[in-house]
Amino acid sequence: MFICVLTYTASPEDVAALRPAHLDFLKEQHEAGHFIGWGRQASGQGGVVFAKGDDRAVIEALAATDPYIKGKVATVEVIEMNVAFLSPDFVSDVTA
């Protein structure tokens, strides 16, 4: 599993201009089986995407195609995580 941490590098107006394309990208990658969750950072400084896969290079290349990254309004850090435990209640716990 991978955690992609996006950090905004541009004005809120520039980020907002690319938001519709960014959201379409997230949905497309979910439908393709790559992304399993996403959301904004509570700080407002960027976002987080949960991705599944076995190859870090593939996830990094995919993340580089995000309109936010291509449009140079954000940077992305891809963190590989070996999941040791995930509560069966994970979704309800984080969305409550």
Side-chain angles (χ1 to χ4, degrees):
M1 181 171 151
F2 297 87
I3 302 168
C4 303
V5 181
L6 287 83
T7 303
Y8 300 143
T9 59
S11 71
E13 295 80 17
D14 290 342
V15 172
L18 290 174
R19 184 166 172 71
H22 168 71
L23 293 174
D24 287 345
F25 168 77
L26 294 176
K27 292 172 189 170
E28 289 167 6
Q29 296 312 315
H30 171 69
E31 290 170 5
H34 301 296
F35 293 170
I36 58 174
W38 55 81
R40 291 182 180 178
Q41 293 182 34
S43 67
Q45 298 295 317
V48 177
V49 177
F50 296 106
K52 65 179 184 176
D54 299 319
D55 188 334
R56 180 188 191 97
V58 169
I59 300 300
E60 288 175 339
L62 186 60
T65 66
D66 183 321
Y68 278 175
I69 306 307
K70 289 172 58 177
K72 301 186 187 310
V73 301
T75 59
V76 64
E77 177 185 8
V78 177
I79 302 167
E80 188 168 2
M81 177 182 167
N82 295 320
V83 178
F85 174 78
L86 191 60
S87 167
D89 299 321
F90 178 77
V91 172
S92 62
D93 288 347
V94 299
T95 58

